[in-house]
Amino acid sequence: MVSKTLTAAAAGINSFKIEIEVDVTNSLPGMSIVGLPDSAVNEARERVHSAIKNSDFSFPSGKVIVNLAPADIRKEGTNFDLPIAVGILKEQGIDIPDDNTTAFLGELSLDGTIRRVNGILPLVSGLKDSGITTVFVPKDNAKEAALVQGIKVLGAAHLGDIIHHFANSPIIPTCIDINRYFSECTKAEYIYDFKDVKGQEKAKKALEIAAAGGHNILMSGSPGSGKTMMAKCLASILPPLELEESLELSKIYSICGLLSEDKPLITERPFRAVHHTASPNGIIGGGTTPKPGEITLAHRGVLFLDEMVEFPRQVLEVLRQPLEDGEVIISRAKMSMKYPAKFILVGAMNPCPCGYLGDREKQCSCTESQIQRYRSKISGPLLDRIDLVINVPRLTTEELINKKGDAESSQCIRNRVINARKIQIKRYKNEGIYTNSELNAKQIKIFCKTDDETTDFLKIAAQKFQLSGRKYSRILKLSRTIADLEQSENITLNHVSQALQYRISS
């Protein structure tokens, strides 16, 4: 008789149910796994064999055939070890009930210990959506799995614990009050604070707008003008994550194995600073088995590219589609994976190769052709996708050493950003988006209406600055954010004028 056990396989940040069938035939001893397993799944034969024997259970003396259904989808990872072992033990007569609502996930060591696996959060979430009510997971993954509400999570440390559970020693379910857990984990302390940044009021205001509406920003200025420090300060004014955003981020980090056992929920917006030697696959994601890249790890947070023009052009150009769509699709011959990538792009660059073009104290030594060649490393289509382009001048000696007056703290700025985000969340509660930067063409017509005077001004500006359709739309979205920061229901001429100043300065 064929035994059946349920588990799950990952597909991006989602998953689908897998049925594992085990049959023992009267043939030469051995074990075969079919159903498009990868190397890690195939190696489960040795792990499962040793784990069962070292747990004081008998292994079948005949030929063991394991089928992973559906058989036309490639299976990857080590989370199939435990369900395969459970299926074999069922065939050996161990009393484990056949249940279409119970699933098993986990990697086995040779002594039967159940080891943690990556991606447990999306796997359990997918099982819950497919009707599973109980799931056995590694004990080290139990808290992470319990983030999925509405499913019983049983954390087991050893293969024998599962057998004893069905005998007379039930495993106590792991429970987490996710709302309470989320509120307790949202207290963050930041090293960089805007109160420590002298001057640069225009740049600070631009970063506030970027944080409030989720807009991309490029800062250009001489070395030492404070671009990098202000970019790092941006993390301190970002609004707290919504619970749905937190869970989505946690799924991404779970797949990459970046969640800790003690803190399985991501509660702070990510800030990813990438070095210019990063490869396109490192940025966008990829590999033989497509994995998330930096743009996905920066989802709902910030991707910071310091010295942006030093990045290879190929690396910068792969950002164009994710910046437009908020997601990335990585296609390979045998599979295609889609990952979310809604992030704030923050770029910093010098105005010229020597870095002192327009500097008030040091003269630039670059020729016009050098400056042109340097700036052309960032293409027009990529610049079209950046909402704010600002110049950050270097402070004079007097401004640098002046101790009079205190700059506004990050907490004050963050309060305004949070208020603006609350307006947007309420406005777009039925639209499936969180920020103004996510508005599509249809939504712009609904939520970014302007009066006749402002519309006429925009027409003149579009003609004078030869605005593309994308730039025009982004100026409207930027104006909407500026209005939200001022608690204004309508977009006025003043809001559009400010948006144009930030966008046309390139």
Side-chain angles (χ1 to χ4, degrees):
M1 182 169 174
V2 176
S3 70
K4 296 182 179 180
T5 311
L6 298 177
T7 186
I13 64 168
N14 301 308
S15 66
F16 53 93
K17 186 167 66 175
I18 296 291
E19 186 177 70
I20 295 181
E21 301 171 324
V22 178
D23 188 25
V24 180
T25 62
N26 188 17
S27 181
L28 291 174
M31 184 173 175
S32 178
I33 300 177
V34 297
L36 287 182
D38 73 345
S39 298
V41 181
N42 261 323
E43 289 172 355
R45 293 176 297 179
E46 311 304 328
R47 292 193 296 270
V48 169
H49 185 275
S50 293
I52 290 177
K53 288 185 67 177
N54 291 325
S55 299
D56 296 328
F57 300 108
S58 62
F59 195 85
S61 58
K63 175 76 171 180
V64 179
I65 301 173
V66 179
N67 179 45
L68 311 177
D72 60 341
I73 300 174
R74 191 159 187 82
K75 320 301 186 304
E76 299 167 341
T78 58
N79 59 283
F80 298 97
D81 291 9
L82 181 59
I84 290 173
V86 170
I88 292 173
L89 291 173
K90 283 184 180 181
E91 277 292 282
Q92 287 295 91
I94 301 295
D95 188 16
I96 301 176
D98 286 327
D99 188 355
N100 290 328
T101 61
T102 300
F104 301 83
L105 298 163
E107 175 186 335
L108 289 175
S109 64
L110 299 183
D111 63 357
T113 301
I114 304 175
R115 289 176 170 164
R116 65 177 290 122
V117 293
N118 294 338
I120 205 77
L121 181 57
L123 290 173
V124 174
S125 179
L127 285 170
K128 181 207 168 187
D129 294 340
S130 62
I132 298 297
T133 59
T134 305
V135 60
F136 287 85
V137 300
K139 191 173 183 179
D140 291 344
N141 284 125
K143 286 184 179 179
E144 179 184 338
L147 294 174
V148 181
Q149 304 291 285
I151 188 170
K152 185 191 290 184
V153 175
L154 303 175
H158 193 276
L159 180 60
D161 294 346
I162 293 176
I163 309 305
H164 297 148
H165 170 82
F166 291 104
N168 53 14
S169 299
I171 299 171
I172 299 173
T174 301
C175 299
I176 286 179
D177 183 348
I178 190 168
N179 290 300
R180 179 180 176 183
Y181 189 80
F182 177 74
S183 62
E184 289 176 351
C185 292
T186 51
K187 299 174 183 178
E189 294 183 2
Y190 300 98
I191 299 173
Y192 298 94
D193 194 295
F194 274 112
K195 68 182 180 182
D196 300 319
V197 179
K198 296 183 178 181
Q200 308 297 7
E201 298 305 324
K202 182 179 179 180
K204 290 178 183 178
K205 184 63 179 177
L207 287 165
E208 179 182 338
I209 295 169
H215 302 286
N216 305 316
I217 181 171
L218 175 62
M219 296 181 286
S220 175
S222 303
S225 57
K227 304 183 296 297
T228 301
M229 184 175 181
M230 284 190 289
K232 292 178 179 179
C233 288
L234 179 61
S236 65
I237 65 170
L238 292 173
L241 286 165
E242 296 294 312
L243 182 57
E244 293 79 8
E245 293 178 305
S246 180
L247 287 170
E248 187 179 27
L249 260 177
S250 298
K251 286 183 179 180
I252 294 168
Y253 279 71
S254 176
I255 292 169
C256 298
L258 298 176
L259 288 182
S260 68
E261 181 184 349
D262 297 328
K263 190 180 178 183
L265 186 67
I266 300 294
T267 57
E268 299 173 21
R269 294 188 183 272
F271 183 92
R272 307 290 297 187
V274 183
H275 194 264
H276 62 260
T277 56
S279 67
N281 280 355
I283 298 287
I284 209 80
T288 305
T289 303
K291 296 297 181 184
E294 288 292 339
I295 62 171
T296 301
L297 293 173
H299 182 58
R300 299 297 180 187
V302 175
L303 180 70
F304 176 45
L305 305 183
D306 201 3
E307 304 298 340
M308 192 169 173
V309 292
E310 299 300 331
F311 284 77
R313 190 181 181 97
Q314 181 187 5
V315 172
L316 294 177
E317 293 307 304
V318 299
L319 294 173
R320 285 162 55 175
Q321 182 261 334
L323 284 173
E324 191 70 22
D325 300 335
E327 63 183 23
V328 57
I329 299 174
I330 306 170
S331 298
R332 294 294 180 266
K334 295 182 179 180
M335 67 181 70
S336 179
M337 293 288 185
K338 181 168 72 173
Y339 292 111
K342 293 179 179 177
F343 57 93
I344 299 174
L345 175 65
V346 178
M349 60 176 284
N350 295 329
C352 65
C354 77
Y356 294 102
L357 180 66
D359 191 83
R360 291 177 287 184
E361 296 188 357
K362 194 168 183 178
Q363 189 173 357
C364 173
S365 60
C366 305
T367 64
E368 282 293 331
S369 60
Q370 287 176 324
I371 295 171
Q372 185 62 34
R373 187 162 57 250
Y374 181 78
R375 290 183 172 181
S376 65
K377 291 181 181 180
I378 301 178
S379 67
L382 181 58
L383 273 175
D384 250 8
R385 291 165 169 81
I386 296 176
D387 304 326
L388 300 107
V389 182
I390 58 168
N391 295 315
V392 184
R394 193 160 58 120
L395 299 178
T396 63
T397 304
E398 184 178 345
E399 290 171 327
L400 190 63
I401 63 175
N402 184 17
K403 297 182 179 180
K404 293 181 180 178
D406 293 326
E408 191 175 27
S409 70
S410 289
Q411 187 57 52
C412 294
I413 301 173
R414 190 171 191 253
N415 291 337
R416 293 196 296 268
V417 169
I418 290 173
N419 290 333
R421 282 287 182 104
K422 285 180 179 178
I423 293 172
Q424 294 168 58
I425 290 170
K426 183 178 179 180
R427 181 190 298 135
Y428 306 132
K429 63 181 179 180
N430 297 321
E431 300 294 326
I433 60 175
Y434 291 97
T435 62
N436 293 325
S437 63
E438 300 174 65
L439 290 168
N440 59 34
K442 183 179 179 180
Q443 292 166 333
I444 288 174
K445 291 180 180 179
I446 299 172
F447 299 110
C448 298
K449 293 179 180 179
T450 56
D451 57 31
D452 292 340
E453 181 185 14
T454 306
T455 302
D456 291 340
F457 176 77
L458 275 168
K459 287 180 181 178
I460 297 171
Q463 292 175 351
K464 181 177 180 181
F465 298 110
Q466 299 180 336
L467 299 179
S468 64
R470 184 181 289 112
K471 274 188 179 180
Y472 182 81
S473 297
R474 288 184 176 272
I475 285 171
L476 283 174
K477 290 189 279 188
L478 199 60
S479 302
R480 178 70 272 170
T481 299
I482 295 170
D484 290 340
L485 280 168
E486 296 181 3
Q487 308 287 303
S488 173
E489 184 177 348
N490 300 314
I491 297 175
T492 66
L493 180 60
N494 179 51
H495 302 142
V496 173
S497 300
Q498 287 185 60
L500 276 167
Q501 288 178 10
Y502 286 117
R503 189 60 192 83
I504 303 303
S505 58
S506 56

